[in-house]
Amino acid sequence: AVDDSGKADLLPMSELRIETMRASGAGGQHVNTTDSAVRITHIPTGITAAIQDERSQHKNREKALKIIAARVRDRERAEELKER
């Protein structure tokens, strides 16, 4: 995945499971017809990120990819600090 700055984030797509589902909450009939909510799981660590903020699945997927990359990086940093 590539973020806005053009740098690829560190997670290979083979380590990610991406699921789409219908968003819950307000939105009227639109939420009944569109699978815009996205949940991404980083399989090796079990870390998940679920987003349903936007009406667009693509925007939600971008946000979720950024969040999951940050969470995995945070965990890796925490483990490095424990080892010291």
Side-chain angles (χ1 to χ4, degrees):
V2 177
D3 65 19
D4 296 336
S5 65
K7 292 183 288 193
D9 44 34
L10 305 171
L11 302 177
M13 294 305 284
S14 62
E15 292 184 357
L16 302 176
R17 180 173 62 235
I18 300 175
E19 302 167 89
T20 58
M21 53 261 176
R22 295 208 168 99
S24 62
Q29 291 175 330
H30 181 77
V31 295
N32 298 330
T33 60
T34 308
D35 286 351
S36 59
V38 177
R39 178 174 47 224
I40 300 179
T41 305
H42 183 245
I43 297 164
T45 61
I47 295 173
T48 63
I51 300 286
Q52 62 179 33
D53 297 350
E54 305 288 339
R55 290 181 84 164
S56 159
Q57 184 184 118
H58 298 291
K59 289 179 183 174
N60 284 333
R61 181 186 298 234
E62 285 176 26
K63 277 187 175 182
L65 283 169
K66 288 177 184 177
I67 290 170
I68 197 124
R71 287 181 181 169
V72 170
R73 275 195 308 269
D74 288 346
R75 176 176 283 189
E76 288 171 353
R77 280 194 199 117
E79 288 175 4
E80 286 174 13
L81 290 174
K82 277 184 196 173
E83 292 172 4
R84 290 184 183 172

